[in-house]
Amino acid sequence: MMGWPAPELYVVDVCGTLVFDDTTLGLLRHHFARDAARPLRAKLFNAVSSRRRLLWWGFAVAEKLTGQHLLKRFVVRLLAGERCEALDESAREYASKLLAERRIGSVWHVLEEPFATGRVVLASASLDPVVAALASLTGARYVASTLEQRDGILSGRYETDLTGQKPQALAAKYGKSLLGGPLGVMTDNASDRALVEMASVAYIVIHHASHRERWQGLGVHFIEINA
């Protein structure tokens, strides 16, 4: 990547890169906590999403064995029958809280000028409502995983999951030319390697020192985080 021109556009991951939270789980935790009429749903969510609970470890083992994101698909099932507008309202509240309390400062320092000049696209496998809310608050464009719905009611299933599919999603939404110029990429996800390989400048957010090994052979800049 040495000698490449400065990026015209930055493609930025959200969870663990822009903010500390897993925003799929964070959004649902926030949303279910608001619903006083269905307290059992919040309790079930908390039982499977907390690392202090046995059920979370059961999902973690099953995911390692299968290579599939079983936990997030399970918790999304808890949205079945929910109104889209209710989740959107929760997402706007949660996004505001994220920007106030959970920013990763060293990442935002790099992105201050790109955000100010409208040169950021958020690319996340998190849920569309929260990524859309973050994009609206920051003036960015975005792509995200979408939820299946009919007549404004959620089915509890994914419509699209962007894990490992971000370049395709960006091209589909904004055209292939979007990624044709000098590109900056910021992520902490090994599944974003295809994007990183396209970048003129890539910043990898490292939460554990051992994760540096994933990026051997690529000329990337590391941003090491101690949360």
Side-chain angles (χ1 to χ4, degrees):
M1 298 180 186
M2 295 295 293
W4 284 40
E8 296 174 357
L9 180 76
Y10 282 81
V11 176
V12 181
D13 176 52
V14 172
C15 305
T17 300
L18 199 66
V19 296
F20 283 108
D21 288 24
D22 177 325
T23 62
T24 293
L25 296 181
L27 170 59
L28 297 187
R29 183 176 293 109
H30 180 80
H31 180 67
F32 296 152
R34 294 176 71 231
D35 186 1
R38 300 175 65 181
L40 291 179
R41 184 171 64 165
K43 289 182 179 180
L44 176 57
F45 174 83
N46 290 334
V48 300
S49 64
S50 172
R51 294 188 180 215
R52 296 189 297 271
R53 303 292 184 88
L54 184 60
L55 284 173
W56 185 92
W57 288 102
F59 273 105
V61 171
E63 289 185 353
K64 192 170 185 65
L65 292 173
T66 64
Q68 299 182 37
H69 295 290
L70 302 175
L71 176 59
K72 73 177 185 179
R73 293 187 178 276
F74 177 83
V75 295
V76 162
R77 290 289 292 174
L78 299 176
L79 288 169
E82 191 68 81
R83 294 178 297 111
C84 294
E85 65 183 46
L87 186 63
D88 290 343
E89 182 179 348
S90 292
R92 289 189 290 270
E93 291 180 357
Y94 175 57
S96 295
K97 184 177 180 180
L98 283 172
L99 295 184
E101 302 175 5
R102 300 295 288 167
R103 297 181 188 223
I104 297 180
S106 49
V107 170
W108 284 83
H109 177 74
V110 174
L111 292 175
E112 182 177 358
E113 192 272 340
F115 268 125
T117 53
R119 295 187 293 119
V120 174
V121 181
L122 304 182
S124 176
S126 187
L127 300 181
D128 186 280
V130 67
V131 183
L134 288 167
S136 177
L137 289 168
T138 59
R141 289 172 283 178
Y142 80 96
V143 292
S145 298
T146 57
L147 294 170
E148 185 181 80
Q149 61 92 17
R150 183 173 182 179
D151 298 327
I153 302 298
L154 295 168
S155 71
R157 298 183 181 87
Y158 278 87
E159 182 176 59
T160 60
D161 182 352
L162 260 59
T163 303
Q165 302 297 316
K166 293 178 186 178
Q168 297 91 322
L170 289 162
K173 187 171 183 178
Y174 296 111
K176 293 182 180 179
S177 62
L178 181 79
L179 303 179
L183 185 67
V185 171
M186 302 189 75
T187 187
D188 70 322
N189 294 324
S191 60
D192 288 337
R193 190 180 183 93
L195 270 176
V196 171
E197 290 175 344
M198 298 170 65
S200 55
V201 178
Y203 295 87
I204 305 300
V205 179
I206 298 292
H207 294 268
H208 302 284
S210 62
H211 291 175
R212 286 175 175 262
E213 298 173 5
R214 301 172 178 175
W215 307 99
Q216 288 183 352
L218 297 176
V220 301
H221 303 280
F222 291 110
I223 299 176
E224 193 150 355
I225 303 298
N226 295 310

